Amino acid sequence: MRRLLYLLPVLVLGVLALFFMKGLEMDPHEIPSVLLNTPAPAINLAALPGHDHGLTTDDLKGRVSVVDIFGSWCVSCAQEHPTLLAIKETGIVPIYGIDWRDDPVKGAEWLKKNGDPYERVGLDPAPGHASVDFGVTGAPESFIVDKGGIIRWKHIGPITPEVWETELLPKIRELQK
Amino acid sequence: MRKALALCACLLALSGPVLAADPDEMLKDPAQEARAEKIGQGLRCLVCQSESIENSNADLARDLRVIVRERVKAGDSDRQVVGYVVARYGDYVLLKPPFKARTLVLWGGPFALLLGALGVLVVFFRRRSAAGSPPPLTPEEIRRLDALLKDSGNS
């Protein structure tokens, strides 16, 4: 019994070490969304110049979709852009864009120059009410919304081909069943 | 030189915490603005994380400052404004975590450790005083001790 008592500090140290090791692997910027499994927020966003439609909550109902928060000012958004265009090519899922804190003209030009992977794009000027309603922490950030308009997944950071294959696509396939 | 130092010290003492709110995003009503600032100081900037939205220069922090002021202006109570932000970002956005079942270990842990350590100390000292002082030496022991001391004195 007394011997066990001497082991106590070692045990405490061991538990602390486990916590710290886990902490090393965790990304403090990946904040779990409280909005998972809740209805997508009510939005009604204006169209970009030259585009026919803005984006409303009703657009997100009826089929599984991806909502992508981006901006022409955002460097990592340019990085994920080719992947979004490739996803559009496959026709597996519609991607809706929220052009966050952007100048409408710059946003429209950016899409013209780089290609437009979005089914519809809504403009969300500062202070970005719609994006804040989605709990945005930075661009790009993407959500999978199910047929009923419920948020089922959130991805922080650019969508790479690997993220698409391993994270988003399986989730989308499952929701499409 | 000494004067300059004294001036520096005075200026430092006078300067308050620097807030990032631009004059144009501040509310006209000073009471409302004071409330908004107080609320904002309790909300974490999601970009810089260890700063409050009132202290941060990040765009998102600015947006949240504006939104907090919109809510205050619209007549929300402090609790409603905080609730509005927590509904979108979770408890994580609060710089001071709330006391509830999930955070019991966080809030109670240090006190539990303190009580535990006090308990160990009490047991330790009790045992020591229970053992008491050793019994006095017998005449035989005193004689042997004297002999030993004499011995070492001679060498």
Side-chain angles (χ1 to χ4, degrees):
Chain A
M1 187 55 211
R2 261 196 104 72
R3 282 223 184 127
L4 280 181
L5 208 61
Y6 290 126
L7 276 179
L8 197 66
V10 182
L11 281 177
V12 171
L13 184 72
V15 171
L16 280 179
L18 279 179
F19 269 102
F20 291 151
M21 264 158 68
K22 180 108 175 76
L24 279 180
E25 283 164 18
M26 277 162 46
D27 181 356
H29 285 270
E30 292 213 353
I31 303 153
S33 176
V34 282
L35 298 171
L36 287 187
N37 304 318
T38 64
I43 53 171
N44 188 4
L45 300 177
L48 290 177
H51 291 234
D52 295 333
H53 299 282
L55 186 65
T56 69
T57 316
D58 284 342
D59 296 328
L60 306 179
K61 284 175 188 159
R63 55 183 176 157
V64 180
S65 62
V66 170
V67 176
D68 184 55
I69 297 179
F70 74 103
S72 69
W73 48 269
C74 150
V75 180
S76 335
C77 300
Q79 191 192 332
E80 73 167 1
H81 212 68
T83 316
L84 297 187
L85 288 167
I87 295 170
K88 189 200 170 144
E89 279 299 304
T90 66
I92 290 169
V93 70
I95 309 173
Y96 294 102
I98 295 181
D99 191 6
W100 181 40
R101 299 187 113 260
D102 211 352
D103 177 272
V105 176
K106 281 187 188 159
E109 271 173 10
W110 192 78
L111 287 177
K112 212 172 197 176
K113 195 178 109 201
N114 297 306
D116 186 353
Y118 302 111
E119 193 86 3
R120 286 183 180 190
V121 178
L123 180 70
D124 189 24
H129 285 112
S131 302
V132 166
D133 284 349
F134 269 99
V136 75
T137 59
E141 217 160 81
S142 316
F143 300 83
I144 300 175
V145 179
D146 75 5
K147 291 171 199 164
I150 312 284
I151 297 175
R152 294 299 184 187
W153 193 256
K154 176 181 184 178
H155 176 76
I156 295 176
I159 298 177
T160 60
E162 195 200 343
V163 166
W164 168 247
E165 285 289 336
T166 60
E167 191 182 320
L168 301 186
L169 188 58
K171 194 80 197 162
I172 290 167
R173 289 277 189 231
E174 188 193 317
L175 291 169
Q176 279 173 337
K177 270 178 202 161
Chain B
M1 184 62 199
R2 193 170 267 187
K3 259 188 185 167
L5 272 178
L7 184 67
C8 282
C10 280
L11 287 176
L12 263 180
L14 286 175
S15 62
V18 180
L19 299 181
D22 290 338
D24 58 323
E25 59 186 48
M26 281 161 62
L27 293 173
K28 289 207 179 69
D29 179 349
Q32 283 188 340
E33 174 60 26
R35 271 182 57 211
E37 268 171 33
K38 198 155 169 254
I39 296 168
Q41 276 160 13
L43 297 175
R44 186 192 302 274
C45 164
L46 279 303
V47 183
C48 9
Q49 303 208 336
S50 49
E51 277 186 309
S52 81
I53 60 167
E54 287 294 324
N55 291 108
S56 171
N57 272 317
D59 286 338
L60 182 59
R62 181 193 312 269
D63 288 351
L64 287 173
R65 282 200 297 275
V66 170
I67 287 172
V68 162
R69 280 163 179 75
E70 281 174 4
R71 301 310 313 166
V72 169
K73 211 173 167 187
D76 278 12
S77 69
D78 291 7
R79 186 184 275 225
Q80 279 171 322
V81 178
V82 172
Y84 181 94
V85 182
V86 168
R88 286 153 180 78
Y89 290 99
D91 286 338
Y92 180 76
V93 81
L94 301 172
L95 282 171
K96 185 178 167 191
F99 186 82
K100 53 188 194 183
R102 270 192 63 190
T103 56
L104 199 63
V105 175
L106 182 71
W107 282 102
F111 297 104
L113 275 179
L114 185 70
L115 280 180
L118 280 179
V120 169
L121 272 181
V122 165
V123 168
F124 179 74
F125 280 113
R126 277 234 175 118
R127 276 211 191 143
R128 218 166 68 159
S129 60
S133 44
L137 297 177
T138 61
E140 166 68 12
E141 281 168 336
I142 293 175
R143 200 183 52 75
R144 277 176 61 197
L145 189 63
D146 280 346
L148 278 172
L149 284 173
K150 222 179 249 169
D151 233 26
S152 60
N154 288 344
S155 62

